[in-house]
Amino acid sequence: GQQLNQSPQSMFIQEGEDVSMNCTSSSIFNTWLWYKQDPGEGPVLLIALYKAGELTSNGRLTAQFGITRKDSFLNISASIPSDVGIYFCAPYSGNTGKLIFGQGTTLQVKP
Amino acid sequence: DTAVSQTPKYLVTQMGNDKSIKCEQNLGHDTMYWYKQDSKKFLKIMFSYNNKELIINETVPNRFSPKSPDKAHLNLHINSLELGDSAVYFCASRPHHSGQNTEAFFGQGTRLTVV
């Protein structure tokens, strides 16, 4: 079956440090989305990627859609305390209509 | 205006009861989803509806029955609740077509606790 692996599972970093997380899959996807979830809230979209090789930025966040369409990474530069939360990759398949989620990366930032 | 709204936000109930969670979206989207988030924060897709028709059913027990009276609503009814049903349930919606601007928007979640 379809496998989606997100890593790392958790990170504990110092404020100001850069962060990188990634997702790899056994399947090809049309779209890669990255979401952030704060405690007690639903996931909120951070970045959307629609083309293989696409590199997109949103403020301090940068994400790339892998050229093989089977992976994506998210970088956060100069982390701040409000970056704390759970980050999810969420690839979408137009063939199945499914939007699935990685296992999540829990980020903690020490001021 | 809330784009995707779920009610209730919290639900505590006894084993064996039947309960419903409601979801409404005002984004004009064609596709709606239900996800279950367990204690390890894993988000697992349960159902997807497109224009009131079921298109995805991810081996969810028959006790869970989604109902879509119109494309703006997707409710989740759960019969004979079990302890293992305790989780946070999220509703989401997205446009049906592929390509740009097809991101999913999520509700705030319903925390279900079965005692």
Side-chain angles (χ1 to χ4, degrees):
Chain A
Q2 194 171 70
Q3 288 188 327
L4 179 62
N5 293 309
Q6 182 172 350
S7 65
Q9 188 174 0
S10 62
M11 301 182 78
F12 190 90
I13 61 170
Q14 198 79 29
E15 184 177 359
E17 288 183 356
D18 297 344
V19 169
S20 186
M21 57 194 81
N22 69 83
C23 280
T24 58
S25 170
S26 56
S27 302
I28 290 174
F29 291 99
N30 310 110
T31 300
W32 280 87
L33 307 175
W34 283 92
Y35 285 84
K36 182 190 178 197
Q37 186 179 22
D38 291 326
E41 303 289 332
V44 173
L45 183 73
L46 297 174
I47 289 184
L49 302 158
Y50 299 104
K51 273 174 56 174
E54 180 181 355
L55 183 71
T56 297
S57 292
N58 178 7
R60 293 179 296 106
L61 276 59
T62 302
Q64 184 157 31
F65 190 151
I67 197 74
T68 64
R69 294 166 62 194
K70 292 184 178 182
D71 61 316
S72 178
F73 72 74
L74 174 72
N75 287 342
I76 306 173
S77 62
S79 58
I80 59 179
S82 62
D83 290 335
V84 164
I86 306 176
Y87 292 80
F88 293 98
C89 65
Y92 172 75
S93 168
N95 293 337
T96 63
K98 286 186 191 177
L99 178 68
I100 61 173
F101 280 75
Q103 298 93 332
T105 297
T106 300
L107 179 64
Q108 297 182 65
V109 179
K110 186 177 177 183
Chain B
D1 285 343
T2 304
V4 182
S5 60
Q6 296 177 227
T7 54
K9 189 168 171 64
Y10 300 97
L11 183 53
V12 181
T13 188
Q14 289 188 324
M15 273 196 307
N17 283 351
D18 303 339
K19 289 294 178 187
S20 291
I21 307 172
K22 296 186 176 181
C23 180
E24 175 182 6
Q25 55 97 2
N26 62 6
L27 297 166
H29 290 164
D30 300 307
T31 303
M32 295 183 73
Y33 300 90
W34 276 107
Y35 287 84
K36 179 180 181 181
Q37 187 171 45
D38 60 23
S39 57
K40 294 182 179 178
K41 306 302 181 185
F42 183 57
L43 273 161
K44 183 174 167 58
I45 189 169
M46 299 173 69
F47 299 103
S48 175
Y49 268 71
N50 180 54
N51 262 325
K52 303 191 297 176
E53 286 189 30
L54 179 67
I55 56 173
I56 295 171
N57 181 341
E58 285 290 292
T59 60
V60 178
N62 290 338
R63 298 182 295 103
F64 290 78
S65 54
K67 286 188 171 52
S68 183
D70 55 61
K71 77 172 193 177
H73 296 83
L74 181 62
N75 304 322
L76 184 64
H77 189 75
I78 315 170
N79 289 329
S80 303
L81 278 155
E82 299 176 358
L83 292 176
D85 297 332
S86 297
V88 182
Y89 293 83
F90 286 99
C91 176
S93 75
R94 64 178 296 280
H96 179 61
H97 60 275
S98 296
Q100 301 275 347
N101 301 316
T102 55
E103 306 87 48
F105 291 83
F106 283 77
Q108 289 212 311
T110 296
R111 180 174 292 276
L112 171 65
T113 304
V114 183
V115 297

